[in-house]
Amino acid sequence: MKTARADQPTARELRDAFGMFATGVTVVTGVRPDGEPVGLTVNSFSSVSLEPPLLLWSIHIGSESVAAFAVGAPFSVHVLSDEQRDLALHFSRRKKHKFEVDEAWRATQQPPVLADVLCRFDCQVHALCPAGDHIVVIGAVLALQRQPGMPLAFFAGRFTAVSLPDNSPQIDPWDAWKEGWV
């Protein structure tokens, strides 16, 4: 067993420091092999690649939802709007039955879809990478849907809204990189 150095941060210090990085808030949905739908609030979400289209997020290795995300399994990432704090809280709780699904849905075995989200990525698990007490899930993006709105953000242990000043320029880092700016 590895011992901590005296100058190493505690888990609380590390969690608080990671919390200083503002993130968006998503809900990931999938289906366990036993047919039960799962949903969890995730802020460890990021784009990985445009060619091929890949994204990533992570799940605690001890989560009861892990079985839903085997290589090849379908899942959806729902980017929440600033009006969906209750939804984020609902899916952040450790309880078994977060969905009310009917028999018609059970016949599809597709991940549940949440309404009125800013964006939904429909994916398939491409790879799983164990990393400490989490598993990094890399997903191949198969389809997406978007609608206008403002995102729900998470910062310093709290949900918050994002506001854009009217005069803020829109910058596409991909275009900047292609043109040699970055």
mmCIF file of all heavy atoms in Angstrom, residues 31-56:
data_model
loop_
_atom_site.group_PDB
_atom_site.id
_atom_site.type_symbol
_atom_site.label_atom_id
_atom_site.label_comp_id
_atom_site.label_asym_id
_atom_site.label_seq_id
_atom_site.Cartn_x
_atom_site.Cartn_y
_atom_site.Cartn_z
ATOM 1 N N VAL A 31 -28.331 1.314 -19.670
ATOM 2 C CA VAL A 31 -29.164 0.183 -19.255
ATOM 3 C C VAL A 31 -28.249 -0.937 -18.772
ATOM 4 O O VAL A 31 -27.340 -1.355 -19.499
ATOM 5 C CB VAL A 31 -30.044 -0.335 -20.425
ATOM 6 C CG1 VAL A 31 -30.928 -1.472 -19.955
ATOM 7 C CG2 VAL A 31 -30.872 0.795 -21.016
ATOM 8 N N ARG A 32 -28.484 -1.409 -17.546
ATOM 9 C CA ARG A 32 -27.705 -2.531 -17.021
ATOM 10 C C ARG A 32 -28.081 -3.813 -17.761
ATOM 11 O O ARG A 32 -29.158 -3.910 -18.355
ATOM 12 C CB ARG A 32 -27.972 -2.703 -15.520
ATOM 13 C CG ARG A 32 -27.389 -1.600 -14.677
ATOM 14 C CD ARG A 32 -27.393 -1.947 -13.202
ATOM 15 N NE ARG A 32 -28.536 -2.736 -12.800
ATOM 16 C CZ ARG A 32 -29.347 -2.450 -11.783
ATOM 17 N NH1 ARG A 32 -29.135 -1.392 -11.054
ATOM 18 N NH2 ARG A 32 -30.373 -3.238 -11.492
ATOM 19 N N PRO A 33 -27.228 -4.824 -17.714
ATOM 20 C CA PRO A 33 -27.539 -6.097 -18.374
ATOM 21 C C PRO A 33 -28.854 -6.736 -17.916
ATOM 22 O O PRO A 33 -29.493 -7.455 -18.680
ATOM 23 C CB PRO A 33 -26.347 -6.993 -18.016
ATOM 24 C CG PRO A 33 -25.226 -6.045 -17.771
ATOM 25 C CD PRO A 33 -25.867 -4.821 -17.168
ATOM 26 N N ASP A 34 -29.301 -6.434 -16.685
ATOM 27 C CA ASP A 34 -30.563 -6.990 -16.202
ATOM 28 C C ASP A 34 -31.777 -6.209 -16.713
ATOM 29 O O ASP A 34 -32.909 -6.497 -16.353
ATOM 30 C CB ASP A 34 -30.585 -7.075 -14.671
ATOM 31 C CG ASP A 34 -30.540 -5.707 -13.981
ATOM 32 O OD1 ASP A 34 -30.581 -4.662 -14.670
ATOM 33 O OD2 ASP A 34 -30.466 -5.680 -12.736
ATOM 34 N N GLY A 35 -31.529 -5.185 -17.569
ATOM 35 C CA GLY A 35 -32.614 -4.425 -18.167
ATOM 36 C C GLY A 35 -33.035 -3.191 -17.403
ATOM 37 O O GLY A 35 -33.903 -2.437 -17.856
ATOM 38 N N GLU A 36 -32.430 -2.947 -16.247
ATOM 39 C CA GLU A 36 -32.793 -1.768 -15.464
ATOM 40 C C GLU A 36 -32.062 -0.532 -15.983
ATOM 41 O O GLU A 36 -30.846 -0.557 -16.196
ATOM 42 C CB GLU A 36 -32.461 -1.974 -13.986
ATOM 43 C CG GLU A 36 -33.464 -2.830 -13.264
ATOM 44 C CD GLU A 36 -34.889 -2.301 -13.372
ATOM 45 O OE1 GLU A 36 -35.140 -1.126 -13.053
ATOM 46 O OE2 GLU A 36 -35.764 -3.085 -13.792
ATOM 47 N N PRO A 37 -32.809 0.565 -16.171
ATOM 48 C CA PRO A 37 -32.173 1.796 -16.616
ATOM 49 C C PRO A 37 -31.388 2.453 -15.482
ATOM 50 O O PRO A 37 -31.757 2.319 -14.314
ATOM 51 C CB PRO A 37 -33.361 2.673 -17.021
ATOM 52 C CG PRO A 37 -34.494 2.183 -16.178
ATOM 53 C CD PRO A 37 -34.251 0.709 -15.996
ATOM 54 N N VAL A 38 -30.296 3.105 -15.830
ATOM 55 C CA VAL A 38 -29.494 3.841 -14.857
ATOM 56 C C VAL A 38 -29.316 5.268 -15.340
ATOM 57 O O VAL A 38 -29.344 5.547 -16.541
ATOM 58 C CB VAL A 38 -28.111 3.178 -14.607
ATOM 59 C CG1 VAL A 38 -28.267 1.770 -14.072
ATOM 60 C CG2 VAL A 38 -27.255 3.188 -15.855
ATOM 61 N N GLY A 39 -29.125 6.161 -14.388
ATOM 62 C CA GLY A 39 -28.853 7.552 -14.696
ATOM 63 C C GLY A 39 -28.023 8.139 -13.577
ATOM 64 O O GLY A 39 -28.285 7.863 -12.399
ATOM 65 N N LEU A 40 -26.995 8.910 -13.927
ATOM 66 C CA LEU A 40 -26.149 9.516 -12.916
ATOM 67 C C LEU A 40 -25.692 10.893 -13.360
ATOM 68 O O LEU A 40 -25.455 11.131 -14.546
ATOM 69 C CB LEU A 40 -24.951 8.629 -12.579
ATOM 70 C CG LEU A 40 -24.068 8.131 -13.699
ATOM 71 C CD1 LEU A 40 -22.657 7.926 -13.185
ATOM 72 C CD2 LEU A 40 -24.602 6.804 -14.193
ATOM 73 N N THR A 41 -25.619 11.789 -12.393
ATOM 74 C CA THR A 41 -25.127 13.136 -12.651
ATOM 75 C C THR A 41 -23.611 13.074 -12.752
ATOM 76 O O THR A 41 -22.950 12.490 -11.899
ATOM 77 C CB THR A 41 -25.562 14.086 -11.525
ATOM 78 O OG1 THR A 41 -26.990 14.089 -11.472
ATOM 79 C CG2 THR A 41 -25.065 15.496 -11.771
ATOM 80 N N VAL A 42 -23.084 13.683 -13.808
ATOM 81 C CA VAL A 42 -21.652 13.612 -14.099
ATOM 82 C C VAL A 42 -21.160 15.004 -14.498
ATOM 83 O O VAL A 42 -21.761 15.666 -15.344
ATOM 84 C CB VAL A 42 -21.390 12.625 -15.270
ATOM 85 C CG1 VAL A 42 -19.956 12.685 -15.740
ATOM 86 C CG2 VAL A 42 -21.775 11.205 -14.883
ATOM 87 N N ASN A 43 -20.067 15.454 -13.882
ATOM 88 C CA ASN A 43 -19.443 16.687 -14.353
ATOM 89 C C ASN A 43 -18.038 16.432 -14.881
ATOM 90 O O ASN A 43 -17.360 17.345 -15.297
ATOM 91 C CB ASN A 43 -19.465 17.779 -13.282
ATOM 92 C CG ASN A 43 -18.520 17.523 -12.141
ATOM 93 O OD1 ASN A 43 -18.166 16.389 -11.855
ATOM 94 N ND2 ASN A 43 -18.114 18.579 -11.469
ATOM 95 N N SER A 44 -17.633 15.165 -14.899
ATOM 96 C CA SER A 44 -16.325 14.797 -15.458
ATOM 97 C C SER A 44 -16.504 14.421 -16.930
ATOM 98 O O SER A 44 -16.231 13.303 -17.341
ATOM 99 C CB SER A 44 -15.734 13.615 -14.687
ATOM 100 O OG SER A 44 -16.612 12.497 -14.775
ATOM 101 N N PHE A 45 -16.979 15.357 -17.722
ATOM 102 C CA PHE A 45 -17.316 15.136 -19.126
ATOM 103 C C PHE A 45 -16.417 16.011 -19.988
ATOM 104 O O PHE A 45 -16.152 17.155 -19.647
ATOM 105 C CB PHE A 45 -18.786 15.519 -19.336
ATOM 106 C CG PHE A 45 -19.186 15.658 -20.772
ATOM 107 C CD1 PHE A 45 -19.440 14.538 -21.546
ATOM 108 C CD2 PHE A 45 -19.311 16.902 -21.359
ATOM 109 C CE1 PHE A 45 -19.811 14.651 -22.876
ATOM 110 C CE2 PHE A 45 -19.686 17.032 -22.681
ATOM 111 C CZ PHE A 45 -19.931 15.903 -23.441
ATOM 112 N N SER A 46 -15.942 15.459 -21.113
ATOM 113 C CA SER A 46 -15.075 16.239 -22.001
ATOM 114 C C SER A 46 -15.110 15.669 -23.410
ATOM 115 O O SER A 46 -15.326 14.473 -23.610
ATOM 116 C CB SER A 46 -13.632 16.181 -21.490
ATOM 117 O OG SER A 46 -12.779 16.954 -22.302
ATOM 118 N N SER A 47 -14.865 16.538 -24.362
ATOM 119 C CA SER A 47 -14.658 16.062 -25.723
ATOM 120 C C SER A 47 -13.271 15.436 -25.796
ATOM 121 O O SER A 47 -12.374 15.799 -25.047
ATOM 122 C CB SER A 47 -14.759 17.226 -26.718
ATOM 123 O OG SER A 47 -13.757 18.183 -26.440
ATOM 124 N N VAL A 48 -13.104 14.463 -26.693
ATOM 125 C CA VAL A 48 -11.811 13.805 -26.881
ATOM 126 C C VAL A 48 -11.311 14.023 -28.297
ATOM 127 O O VAL A 48 -10.182 14.426 -28.506
ATOM 128 C CB VAL A 48 -11.897 12.287 -26.584
ATOM 129 C CG1 VAL A 48 -10.605 11.580 -26.944
ATOM 130 C CG2 VAL A 48 -12.244 12.059 -25.128
ATOM 131 N N SER A 49 -12.173 13.770 -29.286
ATOM 132 C CA SER A 49 -11.736 13.769 -30.675
ATOM 133 C C SER A 49 -12.901 14.120 -31.595
ATOM 134 O O SER A 49 -14.042 13.736 -31.328
ATOM 135 C CB SER A 49 -11.200 12.367 -31.009
ATOM 136 O OG SER A 49 -10.956 12.213 -32.385
ATOM 137 N N LEU A 50 -12.586 14.834 -32.676
ATOM 138 C CA LEU A 50 -13.585 15.096 -33.710
ATOM 139 C C LEU A 50 -13.582 14.013 -34.777
ATOM 140 O O LEU A 50 -14.605 13.718 -35.380
ATOM 141 C CB LEU A 50 -13.332 16.461 -34.367
ATOM 142 C CG LEU A 50 -13.474 17.676 -33.455
ATOM 143 C CD1 LEU A 50 -13.106 18.945 -34.207
ATOM 144 C CD2 LEU A 50 -14.869 17.767 -32.880
ATOM 145 N N GLU A 51 -12.411 13.451 -35.052
ATOM 146 C CA GLU A 51 -12.251 12.395 -36.054
ATOM 147 C C GLU A 51 -11.461 11.242 -35.455
ATOM 148 O O GLU A 51 -10.244 11.369 -35.320
ATOM 149 C CB GLU A 51 -11.523 12.951 -37.285
ATOM 150 C CG GLU A 51 -12.330 13.937 -38.083
ATOM 151 C CD GLU A 51 -13.568 13.330 -38.730
ATOM 152 O OE1 GLU A 51 -13.533 12.135 -39.099
ATOM 153 O OE2 GLU A 51 -14.568 14.033 -38.858
ATOM 154 N N PRO A 52 -12.076 10.207 -35.038
ATOM 155 C CA PRO A 52 -13.508 9.948 -34.956
ATOM 156 C C PRO A 52 -14.124 10.728 -33.799
ATOM 157 O O PRO A 52 -13.415 11.133 -32.866
ATOM 158 C CB PRO A 52 -13.587 8.440 -34.700
ATOM 159 C CG PRO A 52 -12.345 8.144 -33.919
ATOM 160 C CD PRO A 52 -11.293 9.070 -34.493
ATOM 161 N N PRO A 53 -15.446 10.914 -33.821
ATOM 162 C CA PRO A 53 -16.093 11.677 -32.741
ATOM 163 C C PRO A 53 -16.124 10.870 -31.442
ATOM 164 O O PRO A 53 -16.805 9.841 -31.346
ATOM 165 C CB PRO A 53 -17.495 11.942 -33.283
ATOM 166 C CG PRO A 53 -17.729 10.879 -34.302
ATOM 167 C CD PRO A 53 -16.387 10.516 -34.862
ATOM 168 N N LEU A 54 -15.349 11.326 -30.450
ATOM 169 C CA LEU A 54 -15.253 10.637 -29.164
ATOM 170 C C LEU A 54 -15.415 11.636 -28.019
ATOM 171 O O LEU A 54 -15.006 12.797 -28.138
ATOM 172 C CB LEU A 54 -13.890 9.951 -29.012
ATOM 173 C CG LEU A 54 -13.509 8.878 -30.025
ATOM 174 C CD1 LEU A 54 -12.059 8.434 -29.814
ATOM 175 C CD2 LEU A 54 -14.450 7.686 -29.917
ATOM 176 N N LEU A 55 -15.983 11.164 -26.931
ATOM 177 C CA LEU A 55 -16.094 11.945 -25.700
ATOM 178 C C LEU A 55 -15.705 11.056 -24.534
ATOM 179 O O LEU A 55 -15.540 9.842 -24.699
ATOM 180 C CB LEU A 55 -17.511 12.516 -25.537
ATOM 181 C CG LEU A 55 -18.704 11.557 -25.533
ATOM 182 C CD1 LEU A 55 -18.853 10.793 -24.223
ATOM 183 C CD2 LEU A 55 -19.976 12.330 -25.809
ATOM 184 N N LEU A 56 -15.552 11.661 -23.352
ATOM 185 C CA LEU A 56 -15.247 10.858 -22.180
ATOM 186 C C LEU A 56 -15.953 11.404 -20.956
ATOM 187 O O LEU A 56 -16.336 12.567 -20.903
ATOM 188 C CB LEU A 56 -13.745 10.731 -21.930
ATOM 189 C CG LEU A 56 -12.928 11.956 -21.492
ATOM 190 C CD1 LEU A 56 -13.126 12.304 -20.026
ATOM 191 C CD2 LEU A 56 -11.458 11.683 -21.734
#
